[in-house]
C-alpha cells in the first residue's frame, strides 16, 4: 500500500452543493440547525450557502440572513459560493470571511451553467478574487467536469491542469477538482492527478467526487494514494446529479469517514453524530439517506 496520510481534511458541502440539488427547499432555521449539528459532529470546514440568483437556485435564497444569524464557532471555517462581483458584495455585507468561486473545464458546460465562455468566466473570477483578496477573504476554487462533460464527453487532463494553475495564480488557496457527473473511475482519477501535479503542488488540490456511478469512495481512495488529503463530501449524500434525475449526489461524508476510520486516518469527525445528522436532514428533506453507511449503521457498528 502506498503511504497514506495520518489526517484528512473534509470540506462539508451538504449545506450548499447538497441542498441546492434537492427537490425540497429547507428554511433558514433548518439550515442553521444543520450547520450547528455538523460543527458538533466535528466538521471544521463547511460550505454554508451561496450568493447566487434565488430564482435560479431557490434552495440558496436567504443565504444572507443565514450568514447574519449564524453563531460562528471560532474553530470552524464557513464559506459561501460567489459567482460574480454582485455575489461578492452580498457575501461581504453578510460578514463572510471565505468564498468559493467556480468554473468548468468544458466550454459547453460553462456556457450552460454560467452563460459565458471559459475565458470570460476566468476574467470574471479574477476580478472577484482580486477584490476578495483586498478585503482579506480566503478564496477557494472549484473546477467542474474534470473527467467528463455531460455535453462534450471526455475532458483532457492537460486542460484541467492548465485551469487549475490559473485558479491558483488568481489567489485560490486550494482548487477542488470536481467530477461533476461522477463518471470517473479510480484509474481516471490517478491519471488526472498525475497530470495536474506536474503544474500544481498536490497540497493545493482537493477532490470533489460524486457517487452517480457508485465510484465516489473508490475515487477518494485513488486520490489519497496520489497524495491528495482534502476531500469535499456531503452529509447523507445530499445533492443528486442534475444530469441524471434520481441519481446519488456528492460522496456521502459518513461513507468517507467510515472508510478513513478503517484505515486509521484521522478526520476529527464523530461518525455517530454525523450519522444522526444525516438521518435528521434526510428526514427534513423527506427522502431516504443515499449513504450505505447510514443505512447499515447500528449502535454496534465499527466506528
Ligand atoms: Mg458536487
Amino acid at each position: 500500500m502506498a503511504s497514506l496520510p495520518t489526517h484528512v481534511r473534509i470540506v462539508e458541502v451538504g449545506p450548499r452543493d447538497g441542498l441546492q440539488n434537492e427537490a425540497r427547499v429547507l428554511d433558514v432555521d433548518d439550515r442553521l440547525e444543520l450547520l450547528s449539528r455538523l460543527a458538533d459532529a466535528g466538521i471544521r470546514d463547511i460550505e454554508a450557502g451561496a450568493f447566487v440568483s434565488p430564482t435560479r437556485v431557490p434552495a440558496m435564497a436567504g443565504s444572507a440572513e443565514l450568514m447574519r444569524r449564524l453563531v460562528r464557532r471560532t474553530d470552524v471555517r464557513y464559506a459561501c459560493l460567489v459567482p460574480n462581483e454582485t455575489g461578492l458584495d452580498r457575501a461581504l455585507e453578510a460578514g463572510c470571511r471565505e468564498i468559493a468561486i467556480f468554473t468548468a473545464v468544458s466550454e459547453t458546460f460553462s456556457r450552460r451553467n454560467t452563460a459565458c465562455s471559459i475565458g470570460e468566466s476566468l476574467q470574471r473570477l479574477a476580478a472577484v478574487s482580486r477584490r476578495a483578496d483586498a478585503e482579506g477573504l480566503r478564496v477557494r476554487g472549484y473546477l467542474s467536469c474534470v473527467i467528463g462533460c455531460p455535453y462534450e464527453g471526455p475532458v483532457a487532463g492537460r486542460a484541467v491542469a492548465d485551469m487549475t494553475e490559473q485558479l491558483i495564480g488568481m489567489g485560490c488557496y486550494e482548487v477542488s477538482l470536481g467530477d461533476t457527473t461522477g463518471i470517473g473511475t479510480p484509474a481516471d482519477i490517478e491519471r488526472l492527478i498525475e497530470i495536474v501535479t506536474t503544474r500544481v503542488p498536490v497540497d493545493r488540490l482537493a477532490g470533489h467526487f460524486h457517487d452517480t456511478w457508485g465510484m465516489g469512495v473508490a475515487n477518494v481512495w485513488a486520490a489519497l494514494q496520489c497524495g491528495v488529503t482534502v476531500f469535499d463530501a456531503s452529509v447523507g449524500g445530499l445533492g443528486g446529479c442534475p444530469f441524471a434525475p434520481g441519481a446519488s449526489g456528492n460522496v456521502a461524508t459518513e461513507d468517507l469517514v467510515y472508510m478513513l476510520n478503517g484505515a486509521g486516518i484521522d478526520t476529527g469527525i464523530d461518525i455517530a453524530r454525523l450519522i444522526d445528522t444525516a438521518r435528521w436532514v434526510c428526514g427534513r428533506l423527506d427522502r431516504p439517506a443515499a449513504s450505505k453507511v447510514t443505512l447499515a449503521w447500528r449502535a454496534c457498528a465499527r466506528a
Side-chain angles (χ1 to χ4, degrees):
M1 193 186 285
S3 75
L4 289 167
T6 54
H7 180 83
V8 155
R9 183 159 65 85
I10 289 183
V11 179
E12 172 60 51
V13 298
R16 197 282 300 171
D17 196 17
L19 290 185
Q20 80 169 41
N21 290 304
E22 289 291 330
R24 184 170 282 196
V25 169
L26 293 191
D27 63 22
V28 170
D29 285 341
D30 277 342
R31 288 164 64 194
L32 283 168
E33 179 163 354
L34 176 59
L35 296 179
S36 141
R37 284 172 178 258
L38 290 167
D40 287 345
I43 299 208
R44 293 296 170 259
D45 289 89
I46 308 179
E47 197 171 63
F51 292 94
V52 292
S53 153
T55 331
R56 281 197 67 192
V57 191
M60 290 297 104
S63 287
E65 181 196 344
L66 177 95
M67 292 310 286
R68 273 196 299 268
R69 286 176 54 197
L70 175 67
V71 180
R72 288 172 172 74
R73 291 176 48 143
T74 52
D75 56 349
V76 176
R77 284 180 294 271
Y78 302 93
C80 281
L81 192 78
V82 160
N84 49 35
E85 291 195 70
T86 313
L88 176 62
D89 289 335
R90 292 167 59 205
L92 284 166
E93 239 174 66
C96 290
R97 301 309 304 152
E98 174 165 341
I99 59 164
I101 58 176
F102 60 97
T103 185
V105 189
S106 142
E107 198 63 62
T108 314
F109 189 90
S110 175
R111 286 182 189 279
R112 297 225 184 174
N113 201 37
T114 54
C116 65
S117 70
I118 291 175
E120 287 162 345
S121 156
L122 289 170
Q123 275 178 7
R124 184 193 287 179
L125 297 184
V128 170
S129 62
R130 253 195 312 275
R131 275 191 53 210
D133 184 54
E135 299 278 354
L137 268 59
R138 281 160 50 92
V139 182
R140 188 171 198 250
Y142 278 114
L143 204 45
S144 301
C145 302
V146 298
I147 302 288
C149 164
Y151 312 111
E152 293 182 10
V155 158
R158 272 196 316 217
V160 179
D162 181 56
M163 289 190 71
T164 305
E165 196 174 31
Q166 292 194 55
L167 287 168
I168 295 286
M170 269 177 211
C172 292
Y173 69 88
E174 181 171 284
V175 174
S176 173
L177 301 174
D179 179 16
T180 313
T181 59
I183 200 158
T185 65
D188 294 321
I189 302 301
E190 275 178 33
R191 270 193 295 271
L192 176 70
I193 292 171
E194 239 168 65
I195 296 172
V196 175
T197 50
T198 60
R199 308 270 289 275
V200 171
V202 74
D203 61 5
R204 307 294 289 275
L205 302 177
H208 181 113
F209 304 133
H210 279 221
D211 223 9
T212 323
W213 295 73
M215 295 291 115
V217 161
N219 286 344
V220 169
W221 190 251
L224 265 180
Q225 311 280 328
C226 302
V228 176
T229 62
V230 184
F231 296 96
D232 301 350
S234 181
V235 62
L238 296 188
C241 173
F243 313 103
S248 304
N250 295 289
V251 64
T253 316
E254 56 273 32
D255 289 358
L256 201 48
V257 172
Y258 182 78
M259 180 182 78
L260 295 169
N261 283 353
I265 299 171
D266 168 56
T267 59
I269 297 169
D270 177 337
I271 194 167
R273 296 188 87 158
L274 186 62
I275 286 170
D276 277 348
T277 305
R279 288 183 171 149
W280 173 82
V281 72
C282 288
R284 301 305 292 168
L285 289 164
D286 197 20
R287 53 156 280 180
S291 151
K292 300 288 190 295
V293 165
T294 287
L295 295 172
W297 183 261
R298 297 182 304 273
C300 61
R302 185 171 83 165

